């Protein structure tokens, strides 16, 4: 049973991908989706072979489906679904990493202020046209938010779970106030788009955004995956220092990577909360706290969850609901459950 559940978590992005590509204002049959994706892959292989062999080896592949199917699938839904998978993986793995570093099951990028800091940086770049790219600006303010949060939380040389959460609340309020000030100063034509963006949405996802986000997120997730065993060491807290582990350096590396991939995600889709809280705990409750298992399953389940949540957001009504609303409605009762169960501590 445990192996079957492990396999289902690991492979969950595949059925989630197919379902999300089928459902929408213009539904496409599952058989057509699978066939078109496979044929499109064969087309790409043919083009690569033709290029590498200078035309000596090639084969022709045609897609026997209406052009409207191809346009909807490959130009609209597929890049959106891929972006949702990338962002879901990022938010989920970020929560798992921060929970291990700070030994607090209620910590995620939203609570620590990373999300609000990155959102302010992105809003600053978009709304006021300061001449800095959205992603660099979001990344810089995400790091600033982490620095302020950890500085405020450090009491007597150590960071306690309670002080960390309280510092995160302060930093969130600070950057939220700055973002509100920006919205107040913005021109009216930009205000509506920024407000909608802050609620989270994949509506503007295209192949251009996927090409920019994919390499950054891939490198960040790979670094965390390759160092996942060290998260087990950091979760021991002060005991790790006794055996000679440079915990502060490790924490710094993980925080920089988490801030980088979180900032990139927010720059393209806005604020989407609670994913980093729910997904790691679902995996942890099913398979335990070992990060060698936790990290890969968190990545795949986070991708699946976000894709299905986005599918719900764009299909439950005649208009699209911002996905941040969907994840928040799901996350609040889960957060309340964890708070009652753990009392805010790691070992409770």
């Amino acid at each position: 049973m445990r192996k079957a559940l492990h396999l289902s978590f690991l492979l969950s992005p595949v059925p989630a991908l197919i379902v999300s590509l089928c459902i929408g204002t213009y539904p496409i049959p599952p058989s057509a989706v699978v066939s078109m994706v496979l044929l499109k892959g064969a087309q790409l292989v043919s083009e690569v072979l033709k290029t590498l062999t200078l035309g000596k080896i090639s084969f022709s592949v045609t897609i026997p489906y209406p052009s409207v199917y191809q346009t909807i699938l490959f130009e609209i839904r597929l890049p959106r679904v891929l972006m949702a998978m990338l962002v879901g993986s990022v938010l989920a793995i970020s929560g798992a990493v921060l929970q291990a570093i700070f030994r607090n099951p209620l910590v995620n990028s939203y609570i620590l202020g990373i999300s609000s800091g990155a959102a302010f940086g992105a809003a600053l770049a978009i709304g006021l046209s300061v001449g800095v790219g959205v992603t660099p600006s979001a990344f810089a303010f995400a790091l600033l938010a982490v620095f302020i949060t950890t500085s405020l939380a450090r009491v007597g040389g150590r960071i306690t779970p309670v002080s960390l959460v309280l510092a995160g609340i302060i930093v969130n309020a600070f950057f939220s106030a700055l973002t509100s000030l920006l919205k107040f100063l913005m021109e009216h034509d930009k205000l509506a788009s920024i407000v909608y963006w802050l609620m989270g949405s994949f509506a503007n996802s295209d192949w251009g955004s996927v090409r920019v986000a994919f390499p950054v997120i891939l490198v960040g997730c790979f670094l965390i995956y390759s160092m996942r065993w060290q998260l087990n060491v950091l979760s021991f807290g002060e005991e790790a220092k006794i055996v000679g582990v440079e915990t502060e350096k490790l924490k710094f590396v993980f925080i920089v990577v988490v801030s980088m991939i979180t900032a990139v995600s927010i720059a393209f889709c806005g604020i989407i909360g609670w994913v980093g809280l729910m997904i790691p705990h679902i995996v942890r409750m099913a398979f335990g706290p070992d990060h060698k298992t936790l990290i890969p399953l968190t990545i795949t389940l986070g991708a699946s969850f976000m894709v299905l949540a986005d599918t719900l957001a764009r299909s439950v009504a005649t208009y699209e609901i911002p996905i941040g609303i969907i994840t928040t409605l799901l996350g609040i009762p889960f957060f309340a459950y964890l708070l009652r169960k753990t009392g805010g501590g790691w070992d409770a």
Side-chain angles (χ1 to χ4, degrees):
M1 181 65 182
R2 186 182 177 88
K3 290 184 179 180
L5 185 61
H6 185 282
L7 188 62
S8 66
F9 276 27
L10 198 61
L11 300 179
S12 61
V14 176
L17 173 69
I18 296 174
V19 168
S20 61
L21 291 177
C22 295
I23 297 176
T25 306
Y26 195 104
I28 302 176
S31 58
V33 167
V34 174
S35 298
M36 284 193 291
V37 170
L38 292 177
L39 290 172
K40 190 68 173 180
Q43 279 186 342
L44 294 176
V45 171
S46 175
E47 292 175 4
V48 170
L49 285 175
K50 186 176 181 179
T51 302
L52 294 177
T53 62
L54 300 178
K56 295 179 180 179
I57 300 177
S58 64
F59 54 91
S60 178
V61 179
T62 58
I63 301 179
Y65 289 96
S67 58
V68 65
Y69 274 18
Q70 299 181 47
T71 301
I72 292 172
L73 183 62
F74 296 117
E75 301 301 325
I76 300 175
R77 285 188 194 163
L78 188 55
R80 176 171 181 151
V81 167
L82 291 178
M83 180 60 75
M85 282 188 159
L86 291 173
V87 172
S89 298
V90 163
L91 297 180
I93 199 175
S94 298
V97 169
L98 293 174
Q99 288 157 19
I101 289 176
F102 296 107
R103 303 180 70 238
N104 187 337
L106 303 182
V107 169
N108 62 10
S109 59
Y110 185 82
I111 291 177
L112 286 184
I114 296 177
S115 294
S116 59
F120 171 73
L124 186 68
I126 294 174
L128 298 184
S129 302
V130 293
V132 180
V134 175
T135 300
S137 180
F139 178 52
F141 280 96
L143 287 180
L144 178 61
V146 172
F147 174 76
I148 297 174
T149 300
T150 53
S151 298
L152 290 175
R154 193 178 299 276
V155 179
R158 43 193 310 270
I159 298 176
T160 64
V162 174
S163 65
L164 186 68
V165 172
L166 292 176
I169 292 173
I170 294 171
V171 172
N172 263 317
F174 173 69
F175 280 109
S176 295
L178 290 181
T179 303
S180 297
L181 179 61
L182 276 180
K183 291 189 289 185
F184 177 76
L185 297 174
M186 280 180 194
E187 300 174 1
H188 289 289
D189 58 338
K190 292 183 178 180
L191 180 59
S193 60
I194 292 297
V195 170
Y196 184 77
W197 176 84
L198 287 173
M199 290 189 289
S201 174
F202 294 104
N204 296 323
S205 298
D206 54 20
W207 287 114
S209 58
V210 172
R211 281 193 290 268
V212 174
F214 179 74
V216 179
I217 291 174
L218 179 64
V219 170
C221 289
F222 176 77
L223 287 174
I224 293 173
Y225 177 83
S226 62
M227 298 171 64
R228 66 192 186 282
W229 64 272
Q230 298 187 50
L231 291 171
N232 288 337
V233 179
L234 289 177
S235 64
F236 289 116
E238 296 297 324
E239 291 85 350
K241 294 182 179 179
I242 299 176
V243 296
V245 177
E246 296 182 346
T247 57
E248 295 303 318
K249 289 184 178 180
L250 277 178
K251 287 180 180 180
F252 177 77
V253 171
F254 277 117
I255 288 174
V256 169
V257 174
V258 165
S259 299
M260 176 183 67
I261 58 179
T262 302
V264 170
S265 301
I266 290 174
F268 286 110
C269 66
I271 296 180
I272 302 175
W274 306 99
V275 179
L277 179 68
M278 290 186 289
I279 302 303
H281 281 289
I282 292 173
V283 179
R284 192 177 288 115
M285 286 186 291
F287 298 99
D290 187 358
H291 289 84
K292 293 181 180 179
T293 302
L294 179 68
I295 292 300
L297 293 184
T298 296
I299 291 174
T300 56
L301 192 62
S304 305
F305 171 82
M306 186 62 76
V307 167
L308 295 177
D310 181 54
T311 303
L312 180 66
R314 60 184 171 83
S315 61
V316 71
T318 54
Y319 50 87
E320 182 173 326
I321 302 174
I323 192 171
I325 296 176
I326 301 292
T327 57
T328 299
L329 290 175
L330 294 173
I332 288 175
F334 195 87
F335 183 86
Y337 163 76
L338 284 178
L339 183 62
R340 293 297 298 270
K341 182 179 179 180
T342 65
W346 185 262
D347 298 318

